[in-house]
């Protein structure tokens, strides 16, 4: 690497480089243009007819000019992780989940009780009989 302070000569650097990037927040605007939606699904292997059949409601809404939908999320948990020197986000997360996405503190996910189903005015469908 050229050294400006030593007449343009070369200087050896011996050290360990480290790049730390802290993402404070991130977000984006979701696709809201019907032709872009079709093109994205074509890349994934779906033809226009399949897109219109399987995602027709969204596709038609985009044709009528549905407003763009976007969002942003602050990465406070990641900043806290760096500040306390944690190796894993689960160490600073208020409601950590294990690697199977199971919340050990809440016992979730779990089956809904009959009382919970009644409160939500839901009823389970009967199991289909084979044969």
């Amino acid at each position: 690497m050229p050294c400006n302070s030593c007449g343009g000569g070369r200087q050896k650097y011996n050290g360990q480089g480290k790049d730390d990037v802290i993402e404070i927040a991130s977000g984006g605007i979701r696709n809201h243009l019907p032709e872009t939606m079709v093109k994205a699904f074509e890349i994934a292997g779906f033809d226009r007819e399949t897109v219109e059949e399987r995602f027709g409601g969204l596709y038609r809404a985009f044709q009528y000019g549905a407003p763009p939908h976007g969002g942003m999320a602050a990465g406070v948990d990641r900043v806290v992780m760096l500040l306390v020197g944690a190796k894993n986000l689960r160490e600073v997360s208020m409601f950590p989940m294990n690697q199977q996405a199971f919340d050990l503190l809440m016992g979730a996910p779990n089956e809904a009780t009959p009382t919970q189903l009644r409160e939500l005015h839901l009823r389970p469908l009967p199991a289909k009989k084979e044969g």
Side-chain angles (χ1 to χ4, degrees), residues 45-119:
F46 296 95
D47 60 10
R48 177 180 292 274
E49 184 178 296
T50 304
V51 172
E52 290 178 14
E53 178 185 318
R54 292 180 62 185
F55 307 99
L58 188 60
Y59 179 75
R60 284 187 297 281
F62 287 163
Q63 287 178 325
Y64 289 111
H69 176 75
M72 189 222 41
V76 175
D77 50 356
R78 285 162 176 77
V79 173
V80 170
M81 183 181 88
L82 293 170
L83 290 174
V84 300
K87 301 268 187 236
N88 191 308
L89 192 59
R90 283 188 217 98
E91 294 177 34
V92 297
S93 194
M94 189 178 301
F95 300 104
M97 295 185 184
N98 65 15
Q99 291 182 339
Q100 289 78 39
F102 188 78
D103 185 336
L104 300 173
L105 298 173
M106 303 293 288
N110 203 350
E111 290 187 28
T113 65
T115 303
Q116 292 169 324
L117 292 172
R118 275 193 305 277
E119 287 174 357

